[in-house]
Amino acid sequence: MRTLTTIAELRAARAALPGPVGLVPTMGYLHEGHLGLVRAARAENASVVVSIFVNPTQFGPGEDLATYPRDLERDFKLSEHEGVDLVFAPSVSEMYPPDDAVTVDPGPIGSRLEGAARPGHFRGVGTVVTKLLNVVQPDRAYFGQKDAQQLVVIEHVVRGLFLPVTIVACPTVREPDGLALSSRNVRLTPTQRAAAPALYRGLARASNGWRAGERSPECLRAAVRAEVEPERELCLEYVSAAHPRTLEELQTVPAEGVLLSLASHAGSVRLIDNVRLGEEGATG
Ligand code: PAF
């Protein structure tokens, strides 16, 4: 495995890789969720590139850029163990040279849900993912369903800019108690960690309702709230039952099903989770 920090080095090494090439973009502090993406990429491609870059443009003022967990040496070891060919770990100035002012704005889809709570977040994600796709030029790029809106936004950007890459969505990986894996989970105190599984319990309660025939978006949202609100360590920011592609809040359920998602604070840690409810069943 080679570890590269400049775009020039990455391009030269990429050109020598046998194809197809799979890219797993990450912000590091790798966990089993990321490793699931790497394994999916490994299974489907001749070569695998992992990028590790804590992207400053997707963090708002007052968000956790400074405290975002980092451990590059550990990430390199885990990547090597998974058979990754190249790790691209550029500096901020490599990705954003001083005179760079180009951004990729996904439009209204990036202003809903997470985008409403974190203005500019999806412009940052759209910009960095487009840069990474242009630098690595993978055949496939892998993203987790845990960041459901991010996936929708990236598919939208790829379609809109005619980027020649297939976006592959991989299922959310969960702790045995249901908590979705996230690099931020390490910052939960023991009491917050004990409370956090209520988020998935809420989503699971709504999924059970869905399986039993519940089709009212308001009742699905209420089922999530009923499970989470009693938890004093958690402060719900939103519960959404939205169209899975347009992300518009639903009054009635369309044929495409529902993206049921939430964001909650546990102290200073912001947690998100979601399940997709569709005619084929409930996943997440
Ligand atoms: O999901 C993430 O870790 C990041 O948002 C991504 C896609 C690597 C862009 O910085």
Side-chain angles (χ1 to χ4, degrees):
M1 186 185 86
R2 293 182 63 198
T3 302
L4 306 166
T5 56
T6 69
I7 292 168
E9 287 169 332
L10 190 278
R11 286 214 156 121
R14 156 67 178 101
L17 287 179
V21 172
L23 169 66
V24 181
T26 80
M27 298 206 299
Y29 213 74
L30 303 181
H31 51 64
E32 274 299 313
H34 298 114
L35 300 184
L37 302 180
V38 173
R39 286 171 201 144
R42 188 68 279 169
E44 291 175 349
N45 300 278
S47 306
V48 176
V49 180
V50 168
S51 65
I52 300 177
F53 180 62
V54 182
N55 172 37
T57 66
Q58 69 189 75
F59 289 79
E63 289 188 12
D64 58 350
L65 174 61
T67 55
Y68 196 84
R70 298 165 208 238
D71 189 344
L72 270 181
E73 285 309 317
R74 181 173 158 278
D75 291 345
F76 294 156
K77 283 200 192 96
L78 287 170
S79 302
E80 178 140 49
H81 186 253
E82 294 297 332
V84 170
D85 297 281
L86 300 181
V87 172
F88 180 47
S91 64
V92 172
S93 59
E94 185 73 9
M95 292 303 281
Y96 296 103
D99 58 347
D100 173 38
V102 177
T103 58
V104 176
D105 191 323
I109 212 165
S111 307
R112 305 194 173 115
L113 301 173
E114 285 299 283
R118 307 180 68 189
H121 172 69
F122 287 113
R123 191 185 321 114
V125 170
T127 303
V128 80
V129 169
T130 304
K131 283 176 184 259
L132 290 167
L133 292 174
N134 282 335
V135 169
V136 178
Q137 304 202 359
D139 299 279
R140 302 185 183 92
Y142 294 77
F143 297 90
Q145 273 161 349
K146 190 204 143 225
D147 296 299
Q149 185 175 9
Q150 170 169 282
L151 247 172
V152 173
V153 163
I154 289 167
E155 279 165 352
H156 181 74
V157 166
V158 163
R159 265 197 313 275
L161 297 180
F162 310 115
L163 300 179
V165 62
T166 301
I167 300 300
V168 183
C170 297
T172 303
V173 180
R174 298 182 179 283
E175 298 283 4
D177 61 12
L179 178 65
L181 295 196
S182 162
S183 303
R184 290 185 169 101
N185 291 353
V186 293
R187 292 180 39 228
L188 296 169
T189 64
T191 27
Q192 290 164 352
R193 175 64 190 81
L199 301 175
Y200 183 62
R201 280 205 310 277
L203 294 169
R205 182 162 165 168
S207 303
N208 289 339
W210 174 272
R211 282 193 208 94
E214 180 59 74
R215 291 295 181 272
S216 151
E218 197 37 47
C219 292
L220 294 169
R221 293 181 200 104
V224 179
R225 282 197 212 99
E227 199 70 41
V228 180
E229 279 174 355
E231 281 294 345
R232 295 162 60 103
E233 295 288 335
L234 302 177
C235 179
L236 268 177
E237 196 175 294
Y238 66 78
V239 177
S240 157
H243 189 288
R245 212 173 33 209
T246 67
L247 304 180
E248 271 160 339
E249 216 48 46
L250 296 170
Q251 307 301 325
T252 54
V253 172
E256 292 88 341
V258 181
L259 175 65
L260 191 64
S261 65
L262 59 79
S264 170
H265 287 272
S268 64
V269 185
R270 193 164 178 282
L271 300 170
I272 60 171
D273 202 351
N274 71 85
V275 289
R276 172 76 191 270
L277 308 176
E279 295 312 326
E280 72 287 351
T283 58

